[in-house]
Amino acid sequence: MLPAYVRGLAYLEARDGEKAGFEFQKILDHPGVVVNLPIGTLALLQMGRAYLMQGRPAQAKASYEGFLNRWKDADQEIPILRDAKAEYAKQWMPLVAQPY
């Protein structure tokens, strides 16, 4: 699943949300394969980013929240977690009353 994750990141970097989403969906469709790997949860965040590029904010919000819920007990200083929280706050905090 690592090649799919890396391809997804490359597509995100190229601003191709459709192809990125396709790659991350491969990971999300096989949770048993990545159960002990960080890319299983990170794919949720990246899928949220892909959804935003696709203009699908409701699905993006659900993906971000899935990621943030899974990592709610993680070290809050992990850079990707800090970035995800900042992106979530920028995108949706005016719409919700409770911060993560």
Side-chain angles (χ1 to χ4, degrees):
M1 290 282 129
L2 186 58
Y5 185 80
V6 173
R7 276 191 304 271
L9 291 177
Y11 286 129
L12 283 178
E13 193 68 27
R15 309 295 300 160
D16 189 336
E18 292 291 329
K19 288 181 181 176
F22 180 76
E23 296 299 330
F24 296 124
Q25 192 61 51
K26 289 178 188 178
I27 297 166
L28 298 174
D29 286 344
H30 298 91
V33 176
V34 293
V35 71
N36 291 329
L37 300 173
I39 64 170
T41 302
L42 291 172
L44 277 171
L45 171 61
Q46 305 304 351
M47 191 68 183
R49 291 171 173 168
Y51 279 141
L52 282 175
M53 284 183 191
Q54 295 172 24
R56 300 168 66 183
Q59 292 90 341
K61 184 176 186 232
S63 288
Y64 271 88
E65 288 175 349
F67 171 77
L68 293 171
N69 284 330
R70 286 189 188 180
W71 276 31
K72 68 179 181 258
D73 296 326
D75 180 352
Q76 298 301 301
E77 295 304 314
I78 296 172
I80 198 161
L81 179 57
R82 279 196 328 248
D83 293 347
K85 290 171 102 175
E87 291 166 21
Y88 182 88
K90 181 179 176 184
Q91 187 72 26
W92 291 287
M93 288 312 286
L95 302 178
V96 296
Q98 301 170 350
Y100 268 93

